[in-house]
C-alpha cells in the first residue's frame, strides 16, 4: 500500500522539536535488509537514492527517491533493498511535542 500526500500536510505550526538524537545517511546494499534499531524517539526516514521497501505493522510501503516516512517511537520497522543497485537512506531521529494524531494512526 502506497500513500502519497501531494497537497497539504499533517504537520501544523504547533509542532515543537525538543530533541534531535540522530542524523545520518545509511547505504543499503543491493538485495540487502537493514534492520532498524529500536528507537525511543520519532524518526523521519528519507530515500535519497534508489527505492526501498519498508515493512511495519503488517503493511509494506515502497519508498521511492525523494519520499519519506515517519517512524513512531518503539515501533518495529524493516527496510529492504529489493533491487540490484545500492540505495541511500537518510535518518533523522527526534522527539517532539504536539505530533499529529494522523501519524500515529494504524491506517497511516
Amino acid at each position: 500500500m502506497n500513500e502519497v500526500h501531494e497537497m497539504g500536510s499533517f504537520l501544523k505550526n504547533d509542532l515543537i522539536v525538543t530533541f534531535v538524537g540522530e542524523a545520518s545517511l545509511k547505504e543499503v546494499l543491493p538485495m540487502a535488509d537493514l534492520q532498524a534499531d529500536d528507537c525511543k524517539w520519532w524518526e523521519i526516514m528519507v530515500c535519497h537514492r534508489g527505492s526501498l521497501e519498508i515493512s511495519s505493522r503488517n503493511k509494506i510501503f515502497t519508498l521511492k527517491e525523494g519520499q519519506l516516512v515517519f517512524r513512531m517511537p518503539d515501533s518495529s520497522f524493516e527496510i529492504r533493498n529489493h533491487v540490484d543497485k545500492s540505495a541511500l537512506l537518510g535518518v533523522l531521529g527526534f522527539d517532539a511535542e504536539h505530533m499529529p494524531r494522523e501519524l500515529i494512526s494504524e491506517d497511516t
Side-chain angles (χ1 to χ4, degrees):
M1 173 181 172
N2 288 326
E3 191 170 10
V4 177
H5 299 280
E6 307 238 355
M7 301 296 289
S9 173
F10 287 139
L11 301 179
K12 298 182 175 145
N13 292 335
D14 57 354
L15 175 73
I16 299 169
V17 174
T18 58
F19 171 79
V20 175
E22 174 187 6
S24 64
L25 284 173
K26 300 178 181 187
E27 183 173 16
V28 185
L29 297 175
M31 307 306 284
D33 294 346
L34 176 66
Q35 292 299 322
D37 301 328
D38 289 336
C39 186
K40 300 294 182 202
W41 52 74
W42 285 87
E43 288 183 326
I44 297 175
M45 302 175 128
V46 181
C47 184
H48 286 285
R49 181 182 68 220
S51 82
L52 295 165
E53 187 176 275
I54 309 285
S55 314
S56 179
R57 296 186 289 186
N58 298 320
K59 295 183 181 182
I60 298 174
F61 302 88
T62 299
L63 199 59
K64 296 179 182 174
E65 192 169 309
Q67 293 182 323
L68 63 87
V69 65
F70 282 89
R71 177 182 173 200
M72 295 186 316
D74 300 316
S75 64
S76 173
F77 227 72
E78 294 178 11
I79 301 160
R80 175 172 291 125
N81 182 355
H82 52 84
V83 297
D84 61 355
K85 292 183 180 179
S86 68
L88 191 59
L89 178 70
V91 179
L92 177 67
F94 67 98
D95 203 0
E97 296 175 4
H98 311 293
M99 286 301 291
R101 289 281 150 219
E102 292 86 349
L103 293 176
I104 303 172
S105 166
E106 288 292 324
D107 296 326
T108 304

